[in-house]
Amino acid sequence: MTQKPGQQTSTGKRYASSSSGANGDTAHTTWQHRAACRGEDPDLFFPRGWSTAYVPQIERATDICDRCPVRAACLSAALAMEHGKGLTERAGIWGGTTPIERHRMTPSRSRRRRQTTASGRRMEIVHLAAFRLTEQQIADRLGITRDYVRTLLREIRGATP
């Protein structure tokens, strides 16, 4: 996702010039000049939330990414920027991926899979449910049982089990 120099997003962040990287090396950011999102409103790529209300905005952003010739470079840059950061420190749609998707792409610090907290698991389930995935599809993606997904969705939605 490219940005306009000095542009402020809904998160209050201002972007530096997209013509050079943090170290002034233009070789790492020349891909931004060919990005499909160039000239688009940056706020489109930074939803103010990740609930079902934002699904149309997320879909519009990822549709732009789907036709982008430099999508892989964008995703690579996002993963490099977010290296070592937790889920809550990631933001926006980059390379056609959401923060949760990019977080799941990062390698674990140990050989074992990182344990997910209950609140983190709920956030993942809400995110996947917002994209209208079935309980079974969510369970398969997260490596948990369908019954557990169903139970958490009921709790999240406030329904009695």
Side-chain angles (χ1 to χ4, degrees):
M1 202 283 302
T2 62
Q3 319 84 359
K4 297 176 188 172
Q7 178 85 27
Q8 185 172 5
T9 69
S10 59
T11 60
K13 296 179 182 176
R14 286 204 180 271
Y15 294 112
S17 171
S18 62
S19 63
S20 65
N23 62 1
D25 184 4
T26 59
H28 296 294
T29 57
T30 55
W31 60 267
Q32 290 183 346
H33 298 287
R34 298 187 332 267
C37 61
R38 190 157 181 86
E40 296 286 340
D41 181 3
D43 285 339
L44 172 65
F45 297 89
F46 290 90
R48 293 181 186 202
W50 298 98
S51 68
T52 55
Y54 297 95
V55 170
Q57 179 179 352
I58 294 166
E59 287 175 344
R60 281 183 41 226
T62 55
D63 285 347
I64 293 169
C65 294
D66 286 345
R67 70 182 193 313
C68 185
V70 293
R71 180 178 179 174
C74 180
L75 177 57
S76 178
L79 291 172
M81 278 189 314
E82 297 172 342
H83 179 71
K85 294 184 178 180
L87 178 58
T88 58
E89 298 171 292
R90 299 168 189 264
I93 306 294
W94 290 82
T97 62
T98 64
I100 288 176
E101 292 166 332
R102 289 191 307 279
H103 180 70
R104 294 184 69 77
M105 289 178 189
T106 57
S108 175
R109 291 184 186 168
S110 67
R111 291 187 184 264
R112 291 185 332 195
R113 188 169 183 258
R114 272 186 238 161
Q115 294 295 318
T116 304
T117 63
S119 62
R121 178 67 71 207
R122 282 182 171 80
M123 188 164 63
E124 288 177 323
I125 290 172
V126 167
H127 174 77
L128 294 171
F131 283 96
R132 298 182 183 97
L133 293 177
T134 66
E135 290 173 354
Q136 188 60 55
Q137 289 170 321
I138 294 170
D140 291 344
R141 281 199 180 187
L142 299 179
I144 57 179
T145 67
R146 181 177 175 203
D147 289 337
Y148 185 56
V149 170
R150 181 179 294 132
T151 300
L152 287 179
L153 282 173
R154 285 181 181 162
E155 287 177 17
I156 292 164
R157 293 176 180 148
T160 54

